[in-house]
Amino acid sequence: MARFKVVLFGKQGSGKTQLSHQVALKGNYEENASSTVGVEYLSRKMEDNHVLHVWDIAGSEIYKKLYRSYYRGAILGLLCIDLTREIDQDQINNEVQLFRDICPNAPIILVGTKSDLPHKDIELFKKNIASELFSNYIVTSAKEKTGIDELYAEITKHCQGLNESLWNRAVQNLLVSLNELPPNKEKLIKAELEKLSKVLLAKSDELGVVSSTKTDAIEHFTNNCKTILEGKHPNVFKAVTTVAVAAAVTIAAAFIGFSISFFLGSWTGPGAFVTGFIGAYSAAVAVAASSITIGVAAGGITAYGLFKTSKEMSALNEFTADVSSWNREIRL
């Protein structure tokens, strides 16, 4: 379950509180709502099982020094403009710049409020609509509940887009780390990624996907990819290989000791062959005993190389840890 932070900011009295209540709580309109003190924090569970956190930021100048902490971590900003007042273009620019300083990559939606009342400066509002400062604009009335559903739909679209962006980044990083794999293995892993994406990026109304389903899908993906990279019983193969290397080194050392002793002993006089054989056997036993240490060392080195996590497995583990965090990550 991911949690997404959206902040409403703008002048004091611009309708942020009423709007935030409609978006987060779908509550009733309060005719004489009091101004926000500092920040008001509201939550709403989204259709795709994520949680939307709506921060209503007080517009009073006395809270300006706290804006940095209030804005930090926002994925989207809603600049609220009271359509019944004269629009201050400098104030809009300053508000946008302050938000941009703290959240440079978060888009901003321009929200006109109180559309049920006579408009004071709708032409200037329309001028801002065309500005590159904003990703979109929406005209709302908290009292008549107009534009609220449209605004919420726009918010959820940004949240879904963020998840897709995170997914694309994670996949790209993984594929870069797997670029030395044989083509057949790379193709199989890409197929597993495609299956996983259909679960992680699905909306709840598409597949009935919940957090537990996503967790199971990630585990299934991880197990399948490990099999693709290492085979079905990688540890058994590695253990057998390690023992085989140790045994081979031990036998080779013993054989060398036997051969040298036999060669030298067979030229020492009468009965040299028998003497050489006995001497060689004794030497072989002695060398074999001492070569066990060499064999164990060789086996240890081999085991380290075999059991050490490969670059590809490290990348896979990093990828699964990244996407697993989306089920519990708090983006505040």
Side-chain angles (χ1 to χ4, degrees), residues 147-311:
I148 303 300
D149 290 341
E150 182 184 355
L151 177 58
Y152 180 71
E154 190 70 16
I155 292 171
T156 56
K157 184 180 77 173
H158 279 283
C159 293
Q160 180 68 12
L162 178 62
N163 263 358
E164 291 176 0
S165 176
L166 291 171
W167 168 260
N168 291 334
R169 182 196 66 190
V171 169
Q172 182 63 30
N173 290 340
L174 176 62
L175 293 179
V176 168
S177 300
L178 301 180
N179 61 357
E180 296 180 3
L181 280 181
N184 62 319
K185 288 190 175 183
E186 185 177 359
K187 183 178 180 180
L188 290 172
I189 288 180
K190 285 182 177 179
E192 293 296 329
L193 284 169
E194 180 66 24
K195 288 189 287 186
L196 182 61
S197 70
K198 291 179 180 179
V199 177
L200 293 189
L201 301 181
K203 297 179 180 179
S204 57
D205 56 356
E206 292 176 349
L207 296 173
V209 173
V210 295
S211 292
S212 59
T213 307
K214 294 181 179 182
T215 301
D216 292 342
I218 292 170
E219 183 177 355
H220 187 70
F221 166 82
T222 303
N223 292 335
N224 286 351
C225 287
K226 284 183 177 179
T227 300
I228 293 169
L229 291 175
E230 298 185 331
K232 290 187 176 181
H233 305 290
N235 289 338
V236 173
F237 172 76
K238 292 174 182 177
V240 170
T241 303
T242 300
V243 172
V245 169
V249 171
T250 302
I251 293 171
F255 178 76
I256 292 171
F258 177 87
S259 300
I260 293 173
S261 297
F262 178 77
F263 177 78
L264 294 176
S266 63
W267 294 98
T268 57
F273 180 82
V274 175
T275 303
F277 184 84
I278 294 173
Y281 174 78
S282 300
V285 171
V287 172
S290 62
S291 65
I292 290 175
T293 302
I294 301 173
V296 170
I301 294 171
T302 304
Y304 174 77
L306 290 173
F307 284 94
K308 180 184 177 182
T309 303
S310 66
K311 180 188 76 171

Side-chain angles (χ1 to χ4, degrees), residues 9-16 57-61 64 67 79-82 85-89 91-92 95:
F9 60 102
K11 272 186 177 181
Q12 185 173 8
S14 59
K16 299 185 298 297
I57 311 298
S60 175
E61 289 291 327
K64 288 286 186 183
Y67 281 5
L79 175 55
C80 298
I81 301 295
D82 184 349
R85 299 179 183 177
E86 291 187 4
I87 294 177
D88 184 342
Q89 190 63 52
Q91 179 260 334
I92 289 178
E95 293 274 11

